[in-house]
Amino acid sequence: MKPQTARQIISKIIPLVAAALLAGCGTAPPPTQTVYVPVHTPCVKDKPPAPVYEFDKLPIDALAGAKVLALARDWLAGRKYEGALEAALIGCQ
């Protein structure tokens, strides 16, 4: 075997590299693919309006009895609001 010079080796490699690079250009690109990505959307469409509590309207120095009566009257409104919230959140499960 004769020793080969660098020029002889490069002249044999260049056509092979060129053929490999051109072979990549001869293929068609892959078809466009639709990918569906889950996106967070709120599950509650309509938030029920919060009730206006009588207790919140009382002055700070109101009598203890007035505070207890206001809380007692507000209890039913609070329970209705809780029920409306639970009904709205039932779709989130």
Side-chain angles (χ1 to χ4, degrees):
M1 242 173 119
K2 284 184 6 184
Q4 297 181 345
T5 64
R7 188 174 296 235
Q8 291 173 333
I9 294 173
I10 291 175
S11 67
K12 291 180 181 176
I13 292 177
I14 287 178
L16 292 173
V17 171
L21 291 174
L22 290 175
C25 296
T27 59
T32 304
Q33 194 175 25
T34 303
V35 178
Y36 295 100
V37 178
V39 178
H40 175 72
T41 57
C43 59
V44 177
K45 304 290 185 228
D46 296 325
K47 180 182 163 227
V52 178
Y53 293 113
E54 184 181 333
F55 181 78
D56 294 334
K57 295 178 183 178
L58 288 177
I60 294 175
D61 59 348
L63 296 175
K67 290 179 182 179
V68 170
L69 289 175
L71 286 172
R73 285 188 288 266
D74 289 343
W75 184 82
L76 183 59
R79 297 301 292 179
K80 285 182 183 178
Y81 181 62
E82 284 178 27
L85 279 177
E86 287 177 1
L89 291 175
I90 205 89
C92 294
Q93 295 176 355

